[in-house]
Coordinates of all heavy atoms in Angstrom, one line a residue:
M1 N -9.5 -16.7 -6.7 CA -8.3 -16.0 -7.1 C -7.3 -16.1 -6.0 O -7.6 -15.9 -4.8 CB -8.6 -14.6 -7.5 CG -7.4 -13.8 -7.9 SD -7.7 -12.1 -8.3 CE -8.3 -12.2 -10.0
T2 N -6.0 -16.5 -6.3 CA -5.0 -16.7 -5.3 C -4.4 -15.3 -4.9 O -4.6 -14.3 -5.6 CB -3.8 -17.6 -5.8 OG1 -3.2 -16.9 -6.9 CG2 -4.4 -18.9 -6.3
N3 N -3.7 -15.3 -3.8 CA -3.0 -14.0 -3.4 C -2.0 -13.6 -4.5 O -1.9 -12.4 -4.8 CB -2.2 -14.2 -2.1 CG -3.1 -14.2 -0.9 OD1 -4.2 -13.6 -1.0 ND2 -2.7 -14.8 0.1
E4 N -1.3 -14.5 -5.1 CA -0.4 -14.2 -6.2 C -1.1 -13.6 -7.4 O -0.7 -12.5 -7.9 CB 0.4 -15.4 -6.7 CG 1.3 -15.0 -7.8 CD 2.1 -16.2 -8.3 OE1 2.2 -17.2 -7.6 OE2 2.6 -16.1 -9.5
E5 N -2.3 -14.1 -7.8 CA -3.0 -13.6 -8.9 C -3.6 -12.2 -8.6 O -3.5 -11.3 -9.4 CB -4.2 -14.5 -9.2 CG -3.8 -15.8 -9.8 CD -4.9 -16.8 -9.9 OE1 -5.8 -16.8 -9.1 OE2 -4.8 -17.6 -10.8
R6 N -4.0 -11.9 -7.3 CA -4.4 -10.7 -6.9 C -3.3 -9.6 -7.0 O -3.4 -8.5 -7.4 CB -5.0 -10.7 -5.5 CG -6.5 -11.1 -5.5 CD -7.1 -10.8 -4.1 NE -6.6 -11.6 -3.0 CZ -7.0 -12.9 -2.8 NH1 -7.9 -13.4 -3.6 NH2 -6.4 -13.6 -1.8
Y7 N -2.2 -10.0 -6.4 CA -1.0 -9.2 -6.4 C -0.6 -8.7 -7.8 O -0.3 -7.6 -8.1 CB 0.1 -9.9 -5.6 CG 1.2 -9.0 -5.0 CD1 1.1 -7.6 -5.1 CD2 2.2 -9.6 -4.4 CE1 2.1 -6.8 -4.5 CE2 3.2 -8.8 -3.7 CZ 3.2 -7.5 -3.8 OH 4.1 -6.7 -3.2
R8 N -0.5 -9.7 -8.7 CA -0.1 -9.5 -10.1 C -1.2 -8.5 -10.8 O -0.8 -7.7 -11.5 CB 0.0 -10.8 -10.9 CG 1.2 -11.6 -10.5 CD 1.2 -12.9 -11.3 NE 2.4 -13.7 -11.0 CZ 3.5 -13.6 -11.7 NH1 3.7 -12.7 -12.6 NH2 4.6 -14.4 -11.3
A9 N -2.4 -8.7 -10.5 CA -3.5 -7.9 -11.1 C -3.3 -6.4 -10.6 O -3.4 -5.5 -11.4 CB -4.8 -8.4 -10.7
I10 N -3.0 -6.2 -9.3 CA -2.7 -4.9 -8.8 C -1.5 -4.3 -9.5 O -1.5 -3.2 -10.0 CB -2.5 -4.9 -7.3 CG1 -3.8 -5.2 -6.7 CG2 -2.0 -3.6 -6.8 CD1 -3.7 -5.6 -5.1
L11 N -0.5 -5.1 -9.7 CA 0.8 -4.5 -10.4 C 0.5 -4.2 -11.8 O 0.9 -3.3 -12.4 CB 1.9 -5.6 -10.3 CG 2.5 -5.7 -8.9 CD1 3.5 -7.0 -8.9 CD2 3.3 -4.5 -8.4
A12 N -0.4 -5.1 -12.5 CA -0.8 -4.9 -13.9 C -1.5 -3.6 -14.1 O -1.5 -3.0 -15.2 CB -1.6 -6.0 -14.4
N13 N -2.2 -3.1 -13.0 CA -2.9 -1.8 -13.1 C -2.0 -0.6 -13.1 O -2.3 0.5 -13.5 CB -3.9 -1.6 -12.0 CG -5.1 -2.5 -12.2 OD1 -5.5 -2.8 -13.2 ND2 -5.7 -2.9 -11.0
H14 N -0.7 -0.8 -12.8 CA 0.2 0.3 -12.6 C 1.5 0.2 -13.5 O 2.1 1.2 -13.7 CB 0.7 0.5 -11.1 CG -0.5 0.8 -10.2 ND1 -1.0 2.1 -10.1 CD2 -1.3 0.1 -9.5 CE1 -2.0 2.1 -9.3 NE2 -2.1 0.9 -8.9
L15 N 1.8 -1.0 -13.9 CA 3.0 -1.2 -14.7 C 2.8 -1.6 -16.1 O 1.7 -2.1 -16.4 CB 3.8 -2.4 -14.1 CG 4.5 -2.2 -12.7 CD1 4.9 -3.5 -12.1 CD2 5.7 -1.3 -12.9
P16 N 3.8 -1.3 -17.0 CA 3.7 -1.9 -18.3 C 3.5 -3.4 -18.2 O 4.1 -4.1 -17.4 CB 4.9 -1.5 -19.0 CG 5.4 -0.4 -18.3 CD 5.0 -0.6 -16.8
S17 N 2.8 -4.0 -19.1 CA 2.5 -5.5 -19.0 C 3.7 -6.3 -19.0 O 3.8 -7.3 -18.3 CB 1.5 -6.0 -20.0 OG 2.0 -5.7 -21.3
A18 N 4.8 -5.9 -19.7 CA 6.0 -6.7 -19.8 C 6.8 -6.7 -18.5 O 7.7 -7.5 -18.3 CB 6.9 -6.2 -20.9
A19 N 6.5 -5.8 -17.6 CA 7.2 -5.7 -16.3 C 6.6 -6.3 -15.2 O 7.2 -6.5 -14.1 CB 7.4 -4.2 -16.0
V20 N 5.4 -6.9 -15.3 CA 4.6 -7.4 -14.2 C 5.3 -8.6 -13.6 O 5.5 -8.7 -12.4 CB 3.1 -7.7 -14.6 CG1 2.4 -8.5 -13.5 CG2 2.4 -6.4 -14.9
D21 N 5.7 -9.6 -14.5 CA 6.3 -10.8 -14.0 C 7.7 -10.5 -13.3 O 7.9 -11.0 -12.1 CB 6.7 -11.8 -15.2 CG 5.4 -12.4 -15.7 OD1 4.4 -12.4 -15.1 OD2 5.5 -12.9 -16.9
W22 N 8.5 -9.6 -13.8 CA 9.7 -9.2 -13.1 C 9.4 -8.6 -11.7 O 10.0 -8.9 -10.8 CB 10.6 -8.2 -14.0 CG 11.6 -7.6 -13.1 CD1 12.8 -8.1 -12.9 CD2 11.5 -6.4 -12.3 NE1 13.5 -7.3 -12.0 CE2 12.7 -6.2 -11.6 CE3 10.5 -5.4 -12.2 CZ2 13.0 -5.2 -10.8 CZ3 10.8 -4.3 -11.3 CH2 12.0 -4.2 -10.6
A23 N 8.5 -7.6 -11.8 CA 8.1 -6.9 -10.5 C 7.6 -7.9 -9.4 O 8.1 -7.9 -8.3 CB 7.1 -5.9 -10.7
Y24 N 6.7 -8.8 -9.8 CA 6.2 -9.8 -8.8 C 7.3 -10.6 -8.3 O 7.5 -10.8 -7.1 CB 5.1 -10.6 -9.4 CG 4.6 -11.6 -8.4 CD1 3.7 -11.2 -7.4 CD2 5.1 -12.9 -8.4 CE1 3.3 -12.1 -6.4 CE2 4.7 -13.8 -7.3 CZ 3.8 -13.4 -6.4 OH 3.5 -14.3 -5.4
A25 N 8.2 -11.1 -9.1 CA 9.3 -12.1 -8.8 C 10.3 -11.3 -7.9 O 10.7 -11.9 -6.9 CB 10.0 -12.7 -10.0
Y26 N 10.6 -10.1 -8.2 CA 11.6 -9.3 -7.5 C 11.1 -9.0 -6.1 O 11.7 -9.3 -5.0 CB 11.9 -8.0 -8.1 CG 13.0 -7.2 -7.4 CD1 14.3 -7.5 -7.8 CD2 12.7 -6.3 -6.5 CE1 15.3 -6.8 -7.1 CE2 13.7 -5.6 -5.9 CZ 15.0 -5.9 -6.2 OH 16.0 -5.2 -5.5
L27 N 9.8 -8.6 -5.9 CA 9.2 -8.3 -4.6 C 9.1 -9.6 -3.8 O 9.4 -9.5 -2.6 CB 7.9 -7.6 -4.8 CG 7.9 -6.2 -5.5 CD1 6.5 -5.7 -5.9 CD2 8.7 -5.2 -4.7
D28 N 8.7 -10.6 -4.4 CA 8.5 -11.9 -3.7 C 9.9 -12.4 -3.3 O 10.0 -12.8 -2.1 CB 7.9 -12.9 -4.6 CG 7.5 -14.2 -3.9 OD1 6.9 -14.1 -2.8 OD2 7.9 -15.3 -4.4
R29 N 10.9 -12.4 -4.1 CA 12.2 -12.9 -3.8 C 12.8 -12.2 -2.6 O 13.5 -12.8 -1.7 CB 13.2 -12.8 -5.0 CG 14.5 -13.4 -4.7 CD 15.4 -13.4 -6.0 NE 15.5 -12.1 -6.6 CZ 15.0 -11.8 -7.8 NH1 14.3 -12.7 -8.5 NH2 15.2 -10.6 -8.4
H30 N 12.6 -10.9 -2.5 CA 13.2 -10.1 -1.4 C 12.2 -9.9 -0.3 O 12.6 -9.1 0.6 CB 13.8 -8.8 -2.0 CG 15.0 -9.0 -2.9 ND1 16.1 -9.3 -2.5 CD2 15.0 -8.7 -4.2 CE1 17.0 -9.4 -3.5 NE2 16.3 -9.1 -4.6
R31 N 11.1 -10.4 -0.4 CA 10.0 -10.3 0.6 C 9.8 -8.9 0.9 O 9.7 -8.4 2.1 CB 10.4 -11.1 1.9 CG 10.6 -12.6 1.6 CD 10.8 -13.4 2.8 NE 11.1 -14.7 2.5 CZ 10.3 -15.7 2.3 NH1 9.0 -15.5 2.3 NH2 10.7 -17.0 2.1
V32 N 9.6 -8.0 0.0 CA 9.4 -6.6 0.1 C 8.0 -6.4 0.4 O 7.0 -6.9 -0.2 CB 9.8 -5.9 -1.2 CG1 9.4 -4.4 -1.1 CG2 11.2 -6.1 -1.5
H33 N 7.7 -5.5 1.4 CA 6.4 -5.1 1.7 C 6.2 -3.8 0.7 O 6.9 -2.8 0.9 CB 6.3 -4.6 3.2 CG 6.1 -5.8 4.1 ND1 5.4 -5.7 5.2 CD2 6.7 -7.0 4.0 CE1 5.5 -6.9 5.9 NE2 6.3 -7.7 5.1
F34 N 5.4 -4.0 -0.3 CA 5.3 -3.0 -1.3 C 4.0 -2.2 -1.2 O 2.9 -2.9 -1.0 CB 5.3 -3.7 -2.7 CG 5.3 -2.7 -3.9 CD1 6.4 -2.0 -4.1 CD2 4.2 -2.6 -4.6 CE1 6.5 -1.1 -5.2 CE2 4.2 -1.8 -5.7 CZ 5.3 -1.0 -6.0
H35 N 4.0 -0.9 -1.2 CA 2.8 -0.1 -1.0 C 2.7 0.8 -2.3 O 3.7 1.4 -2.8 CB 3.0 0.8 0.2 CG 3.3 0.1 1.4 ND1 2.4 -0.6 2.2 CD2 4.5 -0.2 2.0 CE1 3.0 -1.2 3.2 NE2 4.3 -0.9 3.1
I36 N 1.5 0.9 -2.7 CA 1.2 1.9 -3.8 C 0.4 3.0 -3.0 O -0.7 2.7 -2.4 CB 0.3 1.2 -4.9 CG1 1.1 0.1 -5.6 CG2 -0.1 2.3 -5.9 CD1 0.3 -0.7 -6.5
T37 N 1.0 4.1 -3.1 CA 0.5 5.2 -2.3 C -0.3 6.2 -3.1 O -0.2 6.2 -4.4 CB 1.6 6.0 -1.5 OG1 2.4 6.6 -2.5 CG2 2.4 5.0 -0.7
R38 N -1.0 7.1 -2.5 CA -1.6 8.3 -3.2 C -0.5 9.2 -3.6 O 0.7 9.1 -3.2 CB -2.5 9.1 -2.3 CG -1.9 9.6 -1.0 CD -2.8 10.4 -0.1 NE -2.2 10.8 1.1 CZ -1.3 11.6 1.3 NH1 -0.7 12.2 0.2 NH2 -0.7 11.9 2.5
G39 N -0.8 10.0 -4.5 CA 0.3 10.9 -5.1 C 0.9 11.8 -4.0 O 0.2 12.4 -3.1
R40 N 2.2 11.9 -3.9 CA 2.9 12.8 -2.9 C 3.6 13.8 -3.7 O 4.3 13.5 -4.7 CB 3.9 11.9 -2.1 CG 3.2 10.9 -1.2 CD 4.1 9.9 -0.6 NE 4.7 9.0 -1.6 CZ 5.4 7.9 -1.3 NH1 5.6 7.5 -0.1 NH2 5.8 7.1 -2.3
R41 N 3.6 15.0 -3.2 CA 4.3 16.1 -3.9 C 5.8 16.1 -3.7 O 6.6 16.5 -4.4 CB 3.7 17.4 -3.5 CG 2.2 17.5 -3.8 CD 1.7 18.9 -3.5 NE 2.0 19.8 -4.6 CZ 1.6 21.0 -4.6 NH1 1.0 21.5 -3.5 NH2 1.9 21.8 -5.6
S42 N 6.2 15.5 -2.5 CA 7.6 15.6 -2.1 C 8.4 14.5 -2.7 O 9.6 14.6 -2.7 CB 7.7 15.5 -0.5 OG 7.1 14.3 -0.1
K43 N 7.8 13.4 -3.1 CA 8.6 12.2 -3.6 C 7.7 11.3 -4.4 O 6.5 11.3 -4.3 CB 9.3 11.5 -2.6 CG 8.4 10.9 -1.5 CD 9.2 10.3 -0.4 CE 8.4 9.9 0.8 NZ 9.2 9.4 1.9
Y44 N 8.4 10.6 -5.4 CA 7.7 9.6 -6.1 C 7.6 8.2 -5.6 O 6.8 7.4 -5.9 CB 8.2 9.6 -7.6 CG 8.1 10.9 -8.3 CD1 9.3 11.6 -8.7 CD2 6.9 11.5 -8.6 CE1 9.2 12.8 -9.4 CE2 6.7 12.6 -9.3 CZ 7.9 13.3 -9.7 OH 7.8 14.5 -10.4
G45 N 8.7 7.9 -4.8 CA 8.8 6.6 -4.2 C 9.7 6.7 -3.0 O 10.3 7.7 -2.7
D46 N 9.8 5.5 -2.3 CA 10.5 5.4 -1.1 C 11.0 4.0 -0.9 O 10.3 3.0 -1.2 CB 9.7 5.9 0.1 CG 10.5 6.1 1.3 OD1 11.5 6.8 1.3 OD2 10.1 5.5 2.4
Y47 N 12.2 3.9 -0.3 CA 12.7 2.5 0.2 C 13.2 2.7 1.6 O 13.8 3.6 2.0 CB 13.9 2.0 -0.8 CG 14.5 0.8 -0.2 CD1 13.9 -0.4 -0.1 CD2 15.8 1.0 0.5 CE1 14.5 -1.5 0.5 CE2 16.4 -0.1 1.0 CZ 15.8 -1.3 1.1 OH 16.4 -2.4 1.7
R48 N 12.9 1.7 2.4 CA 13.3 1.6 3.8 C 13.8 0.2 4.0 O 13.2 -0.8 3.7 CB 12.3 1.9 4.7 CG 11.8 3.3 4.6 CD 10.7 3.7 5.5 NE 10.3 5.0 5.1 CZ 10.2 6.1 5.9 NH1 10.5 5.9 7.2 NH2 9.8 7.2 5.5
W49 N 15.1 0.1 4.5 CA 15.7 -1.2 4.8 C 15.2 -1.8 6.1 O 14.7 -1.0 7.0 CB 17.2 -1.1 4.8 CG 17.7 -0.1 5.7 CD1 18.1 -0.3 7.0 CD2 18.1 1.3 5.4 NE1 18.6 0.8 7.6 CE2 18.6 1.8 6.6 CE3 18.0 2.1 4.3 CZ2 19.0 3.1 6.7 CZ3 18.3 3.4 4.4 CH2 18.8 3.9 5.6
P50 N 15.4 -3.1 6.3 CA 15.0 -3.6 7.7 C 15.8 -3.0 8.8 O 16.9 -2.7 8.7 CB 15.4 -5.1 7.5 CG 15.4 -5.3 6.1 CD 15.9 -4.1 5.4
Q51 N 15.0 -2.7 9.9 CA 15.6 -2.1 11.1 C 14.9 -2.6 12.2 O 13.8 -3.3 12.2 CB 15.4 -0.6 11.0 CG 16.1 0.2 9.9 CD 15.8 1.6 9.9 OE1 15.9 2.2 10.9 NE2 15.4 2.2 8.7
S52 N 15.3 -2.3 13.5 CA 14.6 -2.6 14.6 C 13.2 -2.0 14.5 O 13.1 -0.8 14.2 CB 15.4 -2.1 15.8 OG 14.6 -1.7 16.9
G53 N 12.2 -2.8 14.8 CA 10.9 -2.3 14.7 C 10.1 -2.7 13.5 O 8.9 -2.9 13.5
H54 N 10.9 -2.9 12.4 CA 10.3 -3.6 11.2 C 11.4 -4.4 10.5 O 12.4 -3.8 10.0 CB 9.5 -2.6 10.3 CG 10.4 -1.7 9.4 ND1 10.6 -0.4 9.7 CD2 11.0 -1.9 8.2 CE1 11.3 0.1 8.8 NE2 11.6 -0.8 7.9
A55 N 11.2 -5.7 10.5 CA 12.3 -6.6 10.0 C 12.1 -7.0 8.5 O 12.3 -8.1 8.2 CB 12.3 -7.8 10.9
F56 N 11.8 -6.0 7.7 CA 11.5 -6.4 6.3 C 11.9 -5.1 5.4 O 12.0 -4.0 5.9 CB 10.1 -6.7 6.1 CG 9.1 -5.8 6.6 CD1 8.7 -4.6 6.0 CD2 8.5 -6.0 7.9 CE1 7.8 -3.7 6.6 CE2 7.6 -5.2 8.5 CZ 7.3 -4.0 7.8
H57 N 12.1 -5.4 4.2 CA 12.3 -4.3 3.2 C 10.9 -3.7 2.9 O 10.0 -4.4 2.7 CB 12.9 -4.8 1.9 CG 14.2 -5.4 2.1 ND1 15.4 -4.7 2.2 CD2 14.6 -6.8 2.1 CE1 16.5 -5.5 2.3 NE2 16.0 -6.8 2.3
E58 N 10.9 -2.4 2.8 CA 9.6 -1.7 2.5 C 9.9 -0.7 1.3 O 10.8 0.0 1.3 CB 9.2 -1.0 3.8 CG 7.8 -0.4 3.6 CD 7.2 0.0 4.9 OE1 8.0 0.1 5.9 OE2 6.1 0.5 5.0
M59 N 9.0 -0.8 0.4 CA 9.1 0.0 -0.8 C 7.7 0.6 -1.1 O 6.7 -0.1 -1.0 CB 9.6 -0.8 -2.0 CG 9.9 0.0 -3.2 SD 10.4 -1.1 -4.6 CE 11.8 -1.9 -3.9
S60 N 7.7 1.9 -1.5 CA 6.4 2.5 -2.0 C 6.6 3.3 -3.2 O 7.7 3.8 -3.5 CB 5.9 3.4 -0.8 OG 6.7 4.5 -0.7
V61 N 5.6 3.3 -4.0 CA 5.6 4.1 -5.3 C 4.2 4.8 -5.3 O 3.2 4.2 -5.0 CB 5.8 3.2 -6.5 CG1 5.8 4.0 -7.8 CG2 7.2 2.5 -6.4
N62 N 4.2 6.1 -5.8 CA 3.0 6.8 -6.0 C 2.1 6.1 -7.0 O 2.5 5.8 -8.1 CB 3.3 8.2 -6.4 CG 3.9 9.1 -5.4 OD1 4.3 8.6 -4.3 ND2 4.1 10.3 -5.6
G63 N 0.8 5.9 -6.7 CA 0.0 5.2 -7.6 C -0.6 6.0 -8.7 O -1.3 5.5 -9.6
D64 N -0.4 7.4 -8.7 CA -0.9 8.3 -9.8 C 0.1 8.4 -11.0 O -0.1 9.2 -11.8 CB -1.3 9.5 -9.2 CG -0.1 10.3 -8.6 OD1 0.9 9.8 -8.4 OD2 -0.4 11.5 -8.3
L65 N 1.2 7.7 -11.0 CA 2.2 7.8 -12.0 C 1.8 7.0 -13.3 O 1.2 6.0 -13.2 CB 3.5 7.3 -11.5 CG 4.0 8.1 -10.3 CD1 5.4 7.4 -9.8 CD2 4.3 9.5 -10.5
P66 N 2.2 7.5 -14.5 CA 2.0 6.7 -15.7 C 2.8 5.4 -15.6 O 3.8 5.4 -14.9 CB 2.5 7.6 -16.8 CG 2.5 9.0 -16.2 CD 2.7 8.8 -14.8
P67 N 2.4 4.4 -16.3 CA 3.0 3.1 -16.2 C 4.6 3.1 -16.3 O 5.3 2.4 -15.5 CB 2.4 2.2 -17.2 CG 1.0 2.8 -17.4 CD 1.2 4.2 -17.2
L68 N 5.1 3.7 -17.3 CA 6.5 3.7 -17.5 C 7.3 4.5 -16.4 O 8.4 4.1 -16.0 CB 6.9 4.3 -18.9 CG 6.7 3.4 -20.0 CD1 7.0 4.1 -21.4 CD2 7.5 2.1 -20.0
F69 N 6.7 5.6 -16.0 CA 7.3 6.3 -14.8 C 7.2 5.5 -13.6 O 8.1 5.4 -12.8 CB 6.7 7.7 -14.7 CG 7.5 8.6 -13.9 CD1 8.8 8.7 -14.0 CD2 6.8 9.5 -13.0 CE1 9.6 9.6 -13.2 CE2 7.5 10.4 -12.2 CZ 8.9 10.4 -12.3
F70 N 6.1 4.8 -13.3 CA 5.9 4.0 -12.2 C 7.0 2.9 -12.2 O 7.7 2.6 -11.2 CB 4.6 3.3 -12.2 CG 4.1 2.5 -11.0 CD1 3.4 3.1 -10.0 CD2 4.6 1.2 -10.8 CE1 3.0 2.5 -8.8 CE2 4.2 0.5 -9.6 CZ 3.4 1.1 -8.7
L71 N 7.3 2.3 -13.3 CA 8.3 1.3 -13.5 C 9.7 1.9 -13.1 O 10.5 1.4 -12.4 CB 8.4 0.7 -14.9 CG 9.5 -0.3 -15.2 CD1 9.5 -1.5 -14.2 CD2 9.4 -0.8 -16.6
W72 N 10.0 3.1 -13.7 CA 11.2 3.8 -13.5 C 11.4 4.0 -12.0 O 12.6 3.8 -11.5 CB 11.3 5.1 -14.3 CG 12.6 5.8 -14.1 CD1 13.7 5.6 -14.9 CD2 12.9 6.8 -13.2 NE1 14.7 6.5 -14.5 CE2 14.3 7.2 -13.4 CE3 12.2 7.3 -12.1 CZ2 14.9 8.1 -12.6 CZ3 12.9 8.3 -11.3 CH2 14.3 8.6 -11.5
V73 N 10.4 4.5 -11.3 CA 10.6 4.8 -9.9 C 10.8 3.4 -9.1 O 11.6 3.4 -8.2 CB 9.4 5.5 -9.3 CG1 9.3 5.7 -7.8 CG2 9.3 6.9 -10.0
M74 N 10.0 2.5 -9.5 CA 10.1 1.1 -8.8 C 11.6 0.6 -9.0 O 12.2 0.1 -8.1 CB 9.2 0.1 -9.4 CG 9.1 -1.2 -8.6 SD 7.7 -2.1 -9.3 CE 7.9 -3.5 -8.2
L75 N 12.2 0.8 -10.2 CA 13.6 0.3 -10.5 C 14.6 1.1 -9.7 O 15.5 0.6 -9.1 CB 13.9 0.4 -11.9 CG 13.2 -0.6 -12.9 CD1 13.4 -0.2 -14.3 CD2 13.8 -2.0 -12.6
H76 N 14.3 2.4 -9.5 CA 15.2 3.3 -8.7 C 15.1 2.8 -7.3 O 16.1 2.7 -6.6 CB 14.6 4.7 -8.8 CG 15.3 5.7 -7.9 ND1 16.5 6.4 -8.3 CD2 15.1 6.1 -6.6 CE1 16.9 7.2 -7.3 NE2 16.0 7.0 -6.3
E77 N 13.9 2.5 -6.7 CA 13.8 2.1 -5.3 C 14.5 0.7 -5.2 O 15.1 0.4 -4.2 CB 12.4 2.1 -4.8 CG 11.7 3.4 -4.9 CD 12.4 4.5 -4.2 OE1 13.2 4.4 -3.3 OE2 12.3 5.7 -4.7
A78 N 14.3 -0.2 -6.2 CA 15.0 -1.4 -6.2 C 16.6 -1.3 -6.2 O 17.3 -2.1 -5.5 CB 14.6 -2.3 -7.4
A79 N 17.0 -0.3 -6.8 CA 18.5 0.0 -6.7 C 18.9 0.4 -5.4 O 20.0 0.0 -4.9 CB 18.9 1.2 -7.7
H80 N 18.1 1.1 -4.6 CA 18.4 1.4 -3.2 C 18.5 0.0 -2.4 O 19.4 -0.2 -1.6 CB 17.4 2.3 -2.6 CG 17.4 3.6 -3.0 ND1 18.6 4.5 -2.8 CD2 16.5 4.4 -3.6 CE1 18.3 5.7 -3.3 NE2 17.1 5.7 -3.8
L81 N 17.5 -0.8 -2.7 CA 17.5 -2.2 -2.0 C 18.8 -2.9 -2.3 O 19.5 -3.5 -1.4 CB 16.3 -3.0 -2.3 CG 16.0 -4.3 -1.6 CD1 14.5 -4.6 -1.7 CD2 16.8 -5.4 -2.1
E82 N 19.2 -3.0 -3.5 CA 20.4 -3.8 -4.0 C 21.6 -3.2 -3.3 O 22.5 -3.9 -2.9 CB 20.5 -3.8 -5.5 CG 19.4 -4.5 -6.2 CD 19.4 -6.0 -5.9 OE1 20.5 -6.6 -5.7 OE2 18.3 -6.6 -5.8
T83 N 21.7 -1.8 -3.3 CA 22.8 -1.1 -2.6 C 22.9 -1.6 -1.2 O 24.0 -1.8 -0.7 CB 22.7 0.4 -2.8 OG1 22.7 0.6 -4.3 CG2 23.9 1.1 -2.2
H84 N 21.8 -1.5 -0.6 CA 21.7 -1.9 0.9 C 22.2 -3.4 1.1 O 23.0 -3.6 2.0 CB 20.3 -1.8 1.5 CG 20.2 -2.3 2.9 ND1 20.7 -1.7 3.9 CD2 19.6 -3.5 3.3 CE1 20.4 -2.4 5.0 NE2 19.8 -3.5 4.6
L85 N 21.8 -4.3 0.2 CA 22.2 -5.7 0.3 C 23.7 -5.8 0.1 O 24.4 -6.6 0.8 CB 21.4 -6.5 -0.7 CG 19.9 -6.7 -0.4 CD1 19.3 -7.5 -1.6 CD2 19.6 -7.4 0.9
K86 N 24.2 -5.1 -0.8 CA 25.6 -5.2 -1.2 C 26.5 -4.5 -0.2 O 27.6 -5.1 0.1 CB 25.9 -4.7 -2.6 CG 27.3 -4.9 -3.1 CD 27.5 -4.5 -4.5 CE 28.9 -4.8 -4.9 NZ 29.1 -4.7 -6.4
Y87 N 26.2 -3.4 0.4 CA 27.1 -2.7 1.2 C 26.8 -2.6 2.7 O 27.5 -2.0 3.5 CB 27.2 -1.2 0.6 CG 27.8 -1.2 -0.7 CD1 27.0 -1.0 -1.8 CD2 29.2 -1.5 -0.9 CE1 27.5 -1.0 -3.1 CE2 29.7 -1.5 -2.2 CZ 28.9 -1.3 -3.3 OH 29.5 -1.3 -4.5
S88 N 25.7 -3.3 3.1 CA 25.4 -3.3 4.5 C 25.9 -4.5 5.2 O 26.1 -5.6 4.7 CB 23.9 -3.2 4.8 OG 23.5 -1.9 4.3

């Protein structure tokens, strides 16, 4: 199994099947370090832009969310990334 196949399989465990191709392509295109975390009470997801100390986009989403909510949170964090790219 290739790294791409493993990554897609992990995404498929958390996202609706129709969103897996988009999610993989988006994360790959922007070279996002993507983390699926344990459930957090304070937030559902997080985005961090490249800074001194880590030169990459970083995104996390709670792994205990239902697939559609997981996708919604991922899209929300992607909007932060797009805003950063457009206005920074």
Side-chain angles (χ1 to χ4, degrees):
M1 184 180 275
T2 67
N3 282 338
E4 179 180 341
E5 290 169 332
R6 276 194 292 278
Y7 205 1
R8 285 177 181 273
I10 291 167
L11 290 171
N13 286 331
H14 296 279
L15 288 166
S17 59
V20 172
D21 289 340
W22 168 83
Y24 179 81
Y26 186 84
L27 296 171
D28 185 55
R29 180 174 57 249
H30 292 293
R31 300 186 191 275
V32 175
H33 287 214
F34 186 72
H35 308 279
I36 298 172
T37 66
R38 60 179 172 69
R40 297 171 285 194
R41 298 181 86 180
S42 60
K43 57 186 169 184
Y44 297 118
D46 189 53
Y47 167 71
R48 296 179 187 233
W49 58 86
Q51 301 176 46
S52 145
H54 75 259
F56 48 84
H57 299 282
E58 190 170 4
M59 188 183 298
S60 67
V61 177
N62 292 3
D64 62 347
L65 302 175
L68 284 175
F69 195 43
F70 189 96
L71 174 60
W72 183 88
V73 172
M74 190 173 180
L75 289 168
H76 175 89
E77 301 309 331
H80 287 298
L81 188 155
E82 294 296 324
T83 301
H84 172 74
L85 292 176
K86 186 169 183 173
Y87 296 105
S88 294

